[in-house]
Amino acid sequence: MKLFPNAKINLGLNILRKRPDGYHDLETIFYPIQLCDELEISESNKTELVMEVNEIEGDIESNLVIKAYRLLENEYQLPSVQIKLKKVIPTGAGLGGGSSDASFTLIGLNQLFNLNISKEELTKYASKLGADCAFFIYNQPMLGEGIGDQLKPVPLNIKDYYLALVKPNCFVSTADAYSNVKPEIPEISVSDCTKQSLPNWKKILKNDFENSIFPKFPEIEKVKATMYEQGAVYASMSGSGASVFGIFNEKPSQLSAQFSSEFLWIEKL
């Protein structure tokens, strides 16, 4: 069975407060895009994860894909499987690639072995793997609250625009992302911002991580500025970075030259 785990972008991201458990409450809108990895699951005489592009970093059991398999294996006595994963979504990009791979593993195992697990139950399993994993079970525009695991569908339509995505050649750690973050309740919520016309988003729809990340990684801020220079209606860093996306009325034609050495993805929404 072959599946295509897709990436997501964050439309706005407000960090509201620090919780007693050390995590932060936030609000954001997860939006699925077409950029995807390739995932193939088949029965095998032993359970293994085969990476078609990169070597597996660290212990295989720490990989979210294998963790997803183990969750269902324990409950449904699954046979051994071989999972082939071809990474296309860049890592450390704020695009949810690893979370998507894990959630699609749950979806694929459910289908392959006719487990008849409901979407609601799959969501519960996904939430055990990571805060944004549950989103990929639904894979539609969703308002994420709490640590990103409390999801509500939102009526959002930005089709017919073009999306350009750039991943600069840098890595943003979780420590970098949260350093100097100042939680606060915004005057306008993310969901209220996106109810306004898209050209207004530039003034009101923010990603709070930019305040702490841009001073440390000016190359990321430069990508955002270039998006606007090339005609973006709205541009933002996705999640905690390092990727930046721009939304355009027309397909941008100059970005390939501007970002010849970085990862670049363009699609029609």
Short mmCIF file of all heavy atoms in Angstrom, two decimals, residues 49 51 55-63:
data_model
loop_
_atom_site.label_atom_id
_atom_site.label_comp_id
_atom_site.label_asym_id
_atom_site.label_seq_id
_atom_site.Cartn_x
_atom_site.Cartn_y
_atom_site.Cartn_z
N LEU A 49 12.11 -0.17 8.87
CA LEU A 49 11.87 1.09 8.20
C LEU A 49 13.01 1.34 7.23
O LEU A 49 14.17 1.36 7.63
CB LEU A 49 11.77 2.24 9.22
CG LEU A 49 11.66 3.66 8.66
CD1 LEU A 49 10.40 3.82 7.83
CD2 LEU A 49 11.69 4.68 9.80
N MET A 51 14.58 3.92 4.57
CA MET A 51 14.58 5.29 4.06
C MET A 51 15.20 5.30 2.67
O MET A 51 16.32 4.82 2.49
CB MET A 51 15.38 6.21 4.99
CG MET A 51 14.84 6.28 6.42
SD MET A 51 13.29 7.20 6.53
CE MET A 51 13.89 8.88 6.40
N GLU A 55 19.67 8.35 5.49
CA GLU A 55 19.82 7.31 6.49
C GLU A 55 18.95 7.65 7.70
O GLU A 55 18.67 8.81 7.98
CB GLU A 55 21.28 7.20 6.93
CG GLU A 55 22.22 6.70 5.84
CD GLU A 55 21.93 5.27 5.42
OE1 GLU A 55 21.51 4.48 6.27
OE2 GLU A 55 22.12 4.96 4.22
N ILE A 56 18.51 6.63 8.41
CA ILE A 56 17.72 6.85 9.61
C ILE A 56 18.64 7.37 10.71
O ILE A 56 19.69 6.79 10.98
CB ILE A 56 17.04 5.55 10.08
CG1 ILE A 56 16.12 5.03 8.97
CG2 ILE A 56 16.26 5.77 11.37
CD1 ILE A 56 15.57 3.65 9.24
N GLU A 57 18.26 8.49 11.31
CA GLU A 57 19.06 9.07 12.38
C GLU A 57 18.61 8.50 13.72
O GLU A 57 17.42 8.51 14.04
CB GLU A 57 18.93 10.59 12.37
CG GLU A 57 19.48 11.24 11.10
CD GLU A 57 19.39 12.75 11.15
OE1 GLU A 57 18.96 13.28 12.18
OE2 GLU A 57 19.77 13.39 10.16
N GLY A 58 19.54 8.01 14.51
CA GLY A 58 19.22 7.50 15.83
C GLY A 58 18.58 6.12 15.79
O GLY A 58 18.55 5.44 14.77
N ASP A 59 18.06 5.72 16.92
CA ASP A 59 17.41 4.42 17.08
C ASP A 59 16.13 4.38 16.26
O ASP A 59 15.31 5.30 16.32
CB ASP A 59 17.11 4.20 18.57
CG ASP A 59 16.41 2.88 18.82
OD1 ASP A 59 16.42 2.02 17.92
OD2 ASP A 59 15.85 2.71 19.92
N ILE A 60 15.94 3.30 15.49
CA ILE A 60 14.76 3.17 14.64
C ILE A 60 13.47 3.25 15.47
O ILE A 60 12.45 3.77 15.01
CB ILE A 60 14.80 1.85 13.84
CG1 ILE A 60 13.61 1.78 12.86
CG2 ILE A 60 14.78 0.65 14.77
CD1 ILE A 60 13.66 0.58 11.96
N GLU A 61 13.51 2.79 16.71
CA GLU A 61 12.32 2.78 17.55
C GLU A 61 11.90 4.19 17.98
O GLU A 61 10.79 4.40 18.43
CB GLU A 61 12.52 1.91 18.79
CG GLU A 61 12.67 0.43 18.48
CD GLU A 61 11.42 -0.19 17.88
OE1 GLU A 61 10.31 0.26 18.22
OE2 GLU A 61 11.55 -1.14 17.08
N SER A 62 12.78 5.16 17.82
CA SER A 62 12.45 6.54 18.16
C SER A 62 11.79 7.27 17.00
O SER A 62 11.29 8.39 17.17
CB SER A 62 13.70 7.30 18.62
OG SER A 62 14.61 7.46 17.53
N ASN A 63 11.79 6.64 15.82
CA ASN A 63 11.16 7.26 14.66
C ASN A 63 9.64 7.24 14.81
O ASN A 63 9.06 6.22 15.20
CB ASN A 63 11.59 6.54 13.38
CG ASN A 63 11.13 7.26 12.12
OD1 ASN A 63 9.97 7.21 11.75
ND2 ASN A 63 12.05 7.94 11.48
#
